[in-house]
Amino acid sequence: MKVCPAHRRRVLDRFVLLVVLVGLTFGSAFAPASAQPAVPPGTPAAAPAAAAASPAAGPPAAADMSWWDKKAAEPYIYDGTYWLPPAASTTAQGPDDLFIWVLGLSAFFFFAITGAVVYFVIKYRHRPGHKAEPSPAHNDVLEITWTIIPTIIVVILFVYGWRSYISMTSIPETRAENQIMVTGSKWFWTFRYYNGVEDNVLHVPHDQPVKLTMTSTDVLHSFFIPVFRQKQDVVPRRFSYIWFWPTKTGVYRVYCTEYCGKDHSLMKTKVVVHTSGDYERYLAEAFTRQMSLSGAPLGESVYKKKGCEGCHTLDGSVRLGPSFKGTFGSKITLADGAIVTMDDVYIRSSLLSPQGQTRPGFPPSMPVIPLSDKEIEGVIEFIKAQK
Amino acid sequence: MSASLDNTKSYLEVNPGWRNWVVTLDHKRIGMMYLCGILAALMLGGFFALLVRTELFSPGAQIVHQDWYNKFFTLHGAVMVFLVIIPGIPAALGNMVLPIQLGAPDVAFPRLNLASFYLWCGGATLLLLSVALGGIDTGWTFYTPYSIETQTAVLPAVSGAFLLGFSSIFTGLNFLVTIHKFRPASMGWFQMPLNLWALYATALMQVLATPVLGITLLLLFVERFMQIGIFDPTLGGDPVLFQHFFWFYSHPAVYIMIVPAMGVVSEILTTFSRKPIFGYRFIAYSSIALALFSFLVWGHHLFVSGQSRLANMVFSALTFSVGIPAAIKVFNWTATLYKGDIRLETPMLYVLSFLILFTIGGLTGIFLAVLSIDVHLHDTYFVVAHFHYVMMGSTLVAFLGGLHYWWPKLSGRMYPETIGKVCAWGVFIGFNLTFLPQFVMGSRGMPRRYWDYDPEYTLYHRLSTIGAFILGMSMFTVVCYLAWSLKRGKKATQNPWGGSTLEWVAPTPPTVFNFPEPPPEVELYEYDDLHEVENANQDGVTNWERRPAANKPARSSHH
Ligand code: HEM
Ligand SMILES: [Cu+2]
């Protein structure tokens, strides 16, 4: 236990690298031409689509970047032990210890069985003059022993697994500031704090229990924070809960782990664990900023944070929905043949009832996105501004 | 059983021509047709797998975008599970050998057997139709509500899986009745080869569990068509209910996959180590125990779906209890090697691979059964690696072992041994290179069903892709040389491996009704009176002849 885990991991990684190099030499025949080199940690995902489809991935222009956005743009922390990511919550210890125990037991049984197989195969291999020797076809003592020993082991594992699971799922009292609403939608996360602040990045305080109440606006999602060892499915029209007690500040990955369609793999964001004080500052300043927004800037923030960006572009290219570029005021033909003007009224009713008026060539895929009147006005101004 | 068939001739010679094959009621021919279909499906599924792995060679878009990637992994999973692994051993190998191992002329319901094959074809056609209609992107699990609202070709795929379910039920029903009714008087339950025990246990599960799949898929079908509101939350339905229904079938289904593999392994292991199976009774009982327990653990797929903590506790405990019979079987097989005379022909190489891979698969199942660890590992690559170790590393490897073991008997030809061994090693090495790295990236947090991934996982994805190509090439070579051997292989003898069960008493290839005259009684797993005769035929193939041993040692019984 004296070897530092990061060092051990590096040694293992180097060994693996050696194997891969050997493999690559004769695997290069099928390596795709566009293979990209591994990207250093912290840079946004290499996928071009990532920036567009997941709002959290594209940081706003540096000039008007708030301090908390800058903090969220710091490199991810993901380097843990060889097997597990770093542990950053109080409840991670239980499953981590068990993981190592089960790993040890598995290694023991694996080497015992493989060793016995290899030994027997060598010792009793067929060769001239060699014959099978008689031996008992069963042995009660032996068979009972090797039934009872695994039974005892799994009973112990079950009990410890159950106990640590109970502590992972027993939600302690949390103050109102630490109760956060989570909404999963195809394909982004929205976090709403007790004072009404909304964000696509999860901000939480260090060393305090945090409770998330989660739901989905469409299909199943699953909320997974590897460094907290927590995961819970997010179900439409139901609430599910998850909690954690962060023990380390930093920026960590958040994934969706229940397959949810096209951009499932881009539905990821980050959790920022703030030092105490910073979290409160974030809540207060983000609140002021959110309240001070109106008109086109508010519309832009809605566009980026509520997932509009995934389907509607600003540059004229077509995704799942029409682009916003230069559409305001134009005449458009609907699926039923009617010709209408793309104006305030049209935008408002498209937002309130997206399937009410549909345009030919686009799948009826737009969900209802709950917005306040002020936000709808902002969106209208924003679309107007896309000349 | 028409009297016009000449039971002194090989089943391959009587009534040749594809017109006779497609209406055949002969279990061996039906098994062969199943085999062709399953191998074709295996190559199709493998092709999708290689597309998936190629895309994952680096983060970001390599060869396709999200939509197609999602279709590829769905089609890979659906083809492999429903068309290959579930029917693989029972419907292809089981069909060919079950009646012969009983000394029977055919299965109890030959017409039902043919109907089962055509249902398989129908199901396969519908799955292909869904590919032709643009594919399906729900994952092989069809989870609601995504499967209700996706615009892809869900209906043909679901109807396909529905038909395949009936195909599986028919096979199971047939095997249950055949084993009950066609077992000769001299063969008590405990004189049955372990392969038959395993097929019996499998058939039980097929008959009892598959109807639930049928009902579930039917409900999904109706939900998509008529919005009845059973799974769709916007209509008051419950999407998690679907998961309960689905796994109520699909957990037993994973035992429908593994239990017959255990039967095949038992047969090959005793033959190639020339020892009776250690702890025969235990292995027999544990097949049945696994079949029954498999109905009680489905909830371990729902540990983070919102199931109550009490339910999670019960399902975790029950899941552990399934691990124990599996572990003991491994110990018993290992002990069978003790003091044997071990021959490392291709079938045995596959079985030794199975022992190692199944051990890894089972042990990683223990990680997942520990509740608190599963919260972290669920829906990551760790689970992907786990179930590939059991479904592919164990079931498919055992299938390949069984295929090589019974190939000479059924085709009348030997496969080329050297290249066979090379491919067996290729499968073993390629497989481990593909899936060992997946454990590491999974426990580090890499979610499954991801088209794009974070840069820190690149190394492991690359290793995995390289392994997949080695694996794919090896398996493709196997299919090629088996096809080649049909015409060019050396002529097989009656008993090239020295097997002790009844199929090695039948002629090679078997006659139309398997045995030209009623088969003798044989003592199960008794090797003392089998003697190796090298160069026994014009092609120089070995045969094992049955002569009473010179001075037969008192044999400790396994009864
Ligand atoms: C020692 C025996 C085994 C134990 C304790 C075990 C345990 C588990 C557990 C707890 C899960 C759920 C993991 C999760 O989704 O988070 C799982 C998944 C799975 N297991 Fe096993 N398992 C065992 C053997 C097998 C065998 C023999 C097979 C098949 C031949 C199998 C096939 C699967 C499959 C297909 C899945 C998940 C499939 C999916 O989610 O798509 N397992 N196993
Ligand atoms: Cu299961």
Side-chain angles (χ1 to χ4, degrees), chain B residues 81 85 140-141 143 246-247 250-251 253-255 257-259 262 300-303 319-320 322-324 326-327 358 361-370 374-375 377-380 383 386-392 394-395 448-449:
Chain B
V81 169
I85 308 267
W140 76 278
T141 46
Y143 271 16
F246 183 83
W247 289 110
S250 289
H251 187 83
V254 310
Y255 285 85
M257 306 174 200
I258 195 70
V259 170
M262 294 169 161
H300 65 214
H301 298 273
L302 287 85
F303 283 156
T319 301
F320 279 117
V322 184
I324 294 164
F358 182 66
L363 287 169
T364 52
I366 299 296
F367 286 81
L368 300 172
V370 180
D374 185 68
V375 171
L377 296 180
H378 175 72
D379 270 347
T380 65
V383 175
H386 158 70
F387 70 71
H388 279 89
Y389 264 86
V390 276
M391 285 160 71
M392 170 153 206
S394 310
T395 301
R448 68 191 281 200
R449 296 176 169 170

